[in-house]
Amino acid sequence: MSLTDRIARGLEAGWQVTDATTLTDHQTHEADVVIVGTGAGGGTTAEILAKSGLSVILVEEGRLYYQKDFTMDEHSAYASLYQEGMSRTTRDGAIAILQGRCVGGSTTVNWTSSFRTPDQTLTYWADNFGLDNLSPEAMAPWFDGREQRHTMAPWPTPPNVNNDILRQGCEQLGYSWQTIPRNVKGCWNLGYCGVGCPTNAKQGALMTTIPGALDHQARLFHGLRAERLIMNQDRIDHLQASAMAADGITPSGVTVTLKARHFVVAASAIGSPGLLLRSDIPDPHARVGKRSFIHPVNATIAQMPEKVDPFYGAPQSIYSDEFNFKNGVDGPAGFKLEVPPLHPGMSAGVIPGHGPEQIDAMAGLPWTQSIIALMRDGFHPDSPGGTVTLRDDGSPVLDYPITDYLWQGLRQAYLTMAEIQFAAGASKVRLVHLDSDWYTSWGEARAAINSIAMEPHRVRLFTAHQMGGCSMGQDPRSSVVNGFGEHHQVSNLSVHDASVFPTSIGANPQLSIYALAARNSARLAAKLTS
């Protein structure tokens, strides 16, 4: 065991960490606060509460993986680090959902992009949901604090070719572009952020707030599934949880009961509504699971004359917000332009075609570039989001219909991305769409995009950003929690993750979750210690 590793050192020093897959007897534990989830929200909450002197128990369904496990191997990493082995989708299978399932949650496997919540989004929330105390001015010190805690700064290293092509195309067309802030320290620029950082450079929850909490006597149970919050009159009495078997997926039959004064749910915008629904938590206005948002993502790929090697270097370092709020907050669907890394395993599952066609496409991977568009959903009446419900086995699933409003935005995004790639010198461009050919000119691509079918399962759609489902707002009739994440109906329940967002945010969400959780946890700590 390498004791240069932060996690290895802590385990050696006696952190209270329990691998629930090894438990053989039913048991009960107590704390001041039980936190479900160890991602951006859960980790932040745990560190702040533990440092305030409160006893904290963290519950994580996934396993504790750290430096020794991060071998840059896509095949094993997707199976172990992601929800449903990287095969999670919306109910109809039309949208792939990339979401972490490990200690640190999605912050362990994200691509490190770190944006503040756009001012336009915070202002919209204030105007439409009574969240006046979340103004840009009020949130600024919380963003400042989290940017320091997670070492967030614009990436100073020149972008890899994959990202620089977005910059080149934007400059040719007169579109704005900027450098992405990243949460890294001593980054080796390897490019394999999505399968766990092998150098501990990524400053996600795994390297920051989780160790910070464990250093202050927090207890962590991993391989433990939160099944139900059990009410006693108007308060939650305990959490009923199931230990996982050695496979990390099926319950072993061992039950762990966790009692606390207060419960914080931070299990993601799919997991948190799922837990509240399984628990029959009071929901008089049927708001739990409603208004779930995902930044629906579509993509184009380009063949470039020069080598791109899109699998090396910081995965995301250039972005463009030219089209994010161009038509106002609630006009036609806006989108943020970014670049994805293209590793062989993921690319083989994403790039259209099979058989000889796929072999040719994969042989050209070193010369392949891609752009993605993140659609800003939830700001328009024709973008009401989706709904999280429960399957027969109690697991959560997201139903997300794509409206005509969003299809129009996705078509516009295809046009924009293809134009940028040709402007940057692409020899040919293809949509990540089952009916798309390779197009060898912008004119040919434009004509094809304007006539191509925009339908589920024809357009390949993705999301790595799950938001909403436990919306915050001033009015209990239209929201689940207030602006501090405090449940409207249950006095000892808070929600501290992206599920509280009343819309999507129009940016990668990790910093927004960190900052909101820090703000709300500081208030919670003051209440519980007073």
Side-chain angles (χ1 to χ4, degrees):
M1 179 180 286
S2 168
L3 296 188
T4 60
D5 173 64
R6 182 79 171 93
I7 305 298
R9 280 203 319 273
L11 293 170
E12 182 78 9
W15 277 350
Q16 298 179 74
V17 175
T18 301
D19 179 353
T21 67
T22 66
L23 298 178
T24 55
D25 299 312
H26 303 313
Q27 48 199 264
T28 299
H29 301 274
E30 292 193 39
D32 291 320
V33 184
V34 167
I35 300 168
V36 180
T38 61
T44 301
T45 302
E47 182 178 51
I48 289 171
L49 297 184
K51 282 187 170 181
S52 74
L54 294 160
S55 59
V56 171
I57 293 176
L58 278 157
V59 178
E60 172 57 55
E61 182 181 24
R63 304 294 291 280
L64 173 60
Y65 298 101
Y66 54 104
Q67 188 173 33
K68 67 179 176 59
D69 304 301
F70 300 147
T71 60
M72 297 168 54
D73 173 35
E74 287 185 271
H75 185 256
S76 61
Y78 297 151
S80 59
L81 299 176
Y82 284 79
Q83 287 286 357
E84 301 177 38
M86 191 72 145
S87 64
R88 175 168 275 189
T89 67
T90 48
R91 181 183 287 277
D92 62 359
I95 306 172
I97 299 172
L98 282 65
Q99 186 180 2
R101 184 181 185 265
C102 52
V103 173
S106 291
T107 76
T108 300
V109 295
N110 70 20
W111 297 336
T112 75
S113 298
S114 305
F115 296 96
R116 295 187 176 202
T117 315
D119 288 356
Q120 298 95 321
T121 299
L122 292 174
T123 302
Y124 184 86
W125 290 358
D127 293 345
N128 291 272
F129 304 101
L131 298 170
D132 302 331
N133 52 10
L134 294 179
S135 68
E137 298 73 29
M139 287 302 296
W142 298 104
F143 291 131
D144 287 340
R146 291 298 106 183
E147 285 165 349
Q148 292 174 30
R149 181 69 185 98
H150 296 278
T151 321
M152 294 173 176
W155 180 233
T157 303
N160 64 4
V161 177
N162 196 27
N163 278 268
D164 198 54
I165 286 164
L166 174 58
R167 178 194 65 81
Q168 293 173 37
C170 284
E171 288 200 341
Q172 286 292 323
L173 296 166
Y175 299 152
S176 62
W177 64 272
Q178 285 83 30
T179 300
I180 292 179
R182 303 182 64 220
N183 62 315
V184 293
K185 184 172 10 178
C187 176
W188 290 23
N189 208 24
L190 297 174
Y192 278 72
C193 309
V195 293
C197 179
T199 67
N200 286 340
K202 185 190 296 187
Q203 299 299 295
L206 182 66
M207 282 293 110
T208 57
T209 54
I210 298 296
L214 293 171
D215 283 345
H216 286 80
Q217 284 68 59
R219 287 171 280 170
L220 167 65
F221 288 82
H222 63 100
L224 185 65
R225 175 183 293 160
E227 297 285 5
R228 291 173 64 88
L229 295 161
I230 307 299
M231 300 279 295
N232 182 5
Q233 296 183 324
D234 62 343
R235 292 171 61 80
I236 296 167
D237 178 73
H238 64 274
L239 171 70
Q240 183 181 313
S242 297
M244 297 290 99
D247 63 8
I249 299 167
T250 52
S252 68
V254 173
T255 298
V256 178
T257 300
L258 300 174
K259 300 175 74 72
R261 293 162 54 199
H262 199 91
F263 293 82
V264 177
V265 175
S268 86
I270 293 177
S272 292
L275 176 58
L276 268 54
L277 289 167
R278 281 198 303 277
S279 305
D280 292 325
I281 294 296
D283 183 21
H285 306 289
R287 299 316 304 159
V288 174
K290 304 298 198 308
R291 288 188 64 80
S292 294
F293 302 104
I294 59 171
H295 288 154
V297 170
N298 64 340
T300 56
I301 53 174
Q303 283 282 298
M304 305 303 296
E306 78 272 24
K307 244 187 174 180
V308 178
D309 287 342
F311 26 78
Y312 293 139
Q316 295 192 310
S317 54
I318 301 293
Y319 74 100
S320 174
D321 268 343
E322 176 79 22
F323 303 94
N324 207 348
F325 294 96
K326 191 164 196 150
N327 295 303
V329 177
D330 53 1
F335 49 89
K336 187 182 197 77
L337 294 176
E338 296 177 347
V339 167
L342 296 175
H343 297 107
M346 185 182 288
S347 300
V350 168
I351 295 173
H354 58 275
E357 185 183 9
Q358 187 182 47
I359 291 170
D360 288 346
M362 294 306 296
L365 190 62
W367 293 269
T368 303
Q369 193 271 345
S370 182
I371 301 177
I372 55 175
L374 285 61
M375 307 303 300
R376 185 171 49 77
D377 50 338
F379 294 81
H380 188 279
D382 294 333
S383 179
T387 305
V388 173
T389 56
L390 298 177
R391 299 186 182 98
D392 291 345
D393 66 356
S395 63
V397 61
L398 172 63
D399 182 36
Y400 192 95
I402 301 289
T403 61
D404 288 345
Y405 169 86
L406 287 173
W407 283 128
Q408 290 169 14
L410 289 161
R411 191 187 300 274
Q412 186 57 48
Y414 272 144
L415 289 164
T416 303
M417 294 186 288
E419 183 183 25
I420 288 171
Q421 286 168 318
F422 280 117
S427 55
K428 55 183 181 177
V429 172
R430 182 179 194 175
L431 317 182
V432 180
H433 184 302
L434 295 192
D435 301 333
S436 175
D437 293 320
W438 285 104
Y439 309 117
T440 56
S441 71
W442 163 228
E444 183 188 15
R446 181 174 54 199
I449 294 167
N450 279 322
S451 61
I452 205 163
M454 300 296 286
E455 298 171 1
H457 301 286
R458 310 311 297 167
V459 178
R460 297 292 301 276
L461 293 174
F462 317 89
T463 176
H465 303 161
Q466 301 85 42
M467 299 155 285
C470 296
S471 294
M472 58 182 167
Q474 195 175 36
D475 187 349
R477 294 171 298 180
S478 57
S479 58
V480 177
V481 298
N482 67 17
F484 288 97
E486 299 160 347
H487 196 276
H488 285 308
Q489 317 297 332
V490 182
S491 60
N492 68 334
L493 173 62
S494 300
V495 183
H496 286 191
D497 60 17
S499 71
V500 303
F501 296 171
T503 64
S504 75
I505 58 172
N508 307 55
Q510 72 167 342
L511 175 52
S512 297
I513 305 168
Y514 284 135
L516 201 57
R519 168 187 176 271
N520 296 351
S521 298
R523 174 181 166 105
L524 178 59
K527 288 174 70 170
L528 292 177
T529 56
S530 63

